[in-house]
Amino acid sequence: QLLILAGAFAAIAALFGGPLIAAFLLFEVTAAGGKVSAQQIGRALLPGFVAAGTGAVLFTGVAGWTGLHQTNLALPQLPSYDSLRLTDLAWCLTLAVVIALVVVALRHLAHAIAVLGPAGLLIVAGLLVGGLAVVFRAAADRPVDLVLFSGQAELPDIVAEGSASVLVLLVVAKGLAYALSLGAGFRGGPVFPAIALGVAAAVAAAELLPGLNTTPAVAAGIAAGTTAVLKTPFTAVLLASLLMGASAFEVAPIAVLAAAIAWVVATVLPNPEDRAQRKLVDAAPA
């Protein structure tokens, strides 16, 4: 079990570009799972934490060796944000609710697609995802990469996008592609697309809503999108803070409240996986 945790730590650290996110995520998931006692959590996770730190050397490099090249989750320089504003707070809390509802709805759609499970579902879903990318490219005159991939490498382009209509179209196209990919069983994870959707919705909101600044909106989008898919608000706030750079301290309250709201939404709404499991139990012979 310790070897499994160490491998998980190293893999998550490589995905998120550092061991801190991996430590927070696995600590939060382990604590919520309840399978490891409170007295043993630190002892159980420490080897994995060391493995994540050791693995990070492969990417940071040592002395004259520059390390391996990888695409880290990163944002471009956002506008400076000096102090919290009530207008931003009000809009960001509303934005967090909307993003959480969208992500949870997409997870439900993905589960409904998976339940259908006809022969050739993977091929059909692949064609539909490709069609969504082509339609987005034709309508928005933007690269298909924004729709087709996880969104990790495309975050700078999403933040720099100045057209709210393009961003709204991206949320629709990428959201449907996300649900199709999850439901059909394509390889990949659910986290980065949810973050990309949150950031796209946040930048669109900053373009459309009066008085909403881009920097706190992006922080709320990252925190809400991450929490809605993982139900790990502490990890979501840490991730948002790390990505915010110099404005991390000022936007921290918004990230915390956005994560808390998204957690409530994701927890209160029914979980499609739990509902499916209950149906299997009810259908089982006594």
Side-chain angles (χ1 to χ4, degrees), residues 103-118 121 125 128 176 178-185 270-276 279:
V103 172
V104 172
L106 291 173
R107 298 297 300 274
H108 278 263
L109 178 58
H111 186 266
I113 293 171
V115 169
L116 293 176
L121 175 61
L128 290 175
L176 292 175
Y178 176 46
L180 284 166
S181 299
L182 283 177
N271 188 320
E273 287 82 6
D274 293 343
R275 185 170 56 193
K279 287 183 178 180

Side-chain angles (χ1 to χ4, degrees), residues 74-203:
L75 295 175
Q77 184 67 35
L78 293 168
S80 61
Y81 190 73
D82 300 327
S83 62
L84 181 64
R85 298 175 177 85
L86 290 178
T87 304
D88 293 324
L89 182 61
W91 281 129
C92 286
L93 296 186
T94 305
L95 180 63
V97 174
V98 173
I99 291 173
L101 288 173
V102 168
V103 172
V104 172
L106 291 173
R107 298 297 300 274
H108 278 263
L109 178 58
H111 186 266
I113 293 171
V115 169
L116 293 176
L121 175 61
L122 196 66
I123 298 175
V124 173
L127 292 173
L128 290 175
V129 170
L132 286 168
V134 171
V135 170
F136 173 78
R137 173 70 176 82
D141 193 24
R142 299 295 189 274
V144 295
D145 294 4
L146 292 174
V147 174
L148 290 179
F149 301 113
S150 68
Q152 178 184 2
E154 289 73 34
L155 280 181
D157 294 330
I158 294 175
V159 173
E161 178 58 56
S163 172
S165 59
V166 169
L167 290 166
V168 172
L169 182 60
L170 175 61
V171 170
V172 174
K174 192 173 187 65
L176 292 175
Y178 176 46
L180 284 166
S181 299
L182 283 177
F186 278 105
R187 292 182 61 187
V191 181
F192 290 135
I195 294 174
L197 289 171
V199 171
V203 178

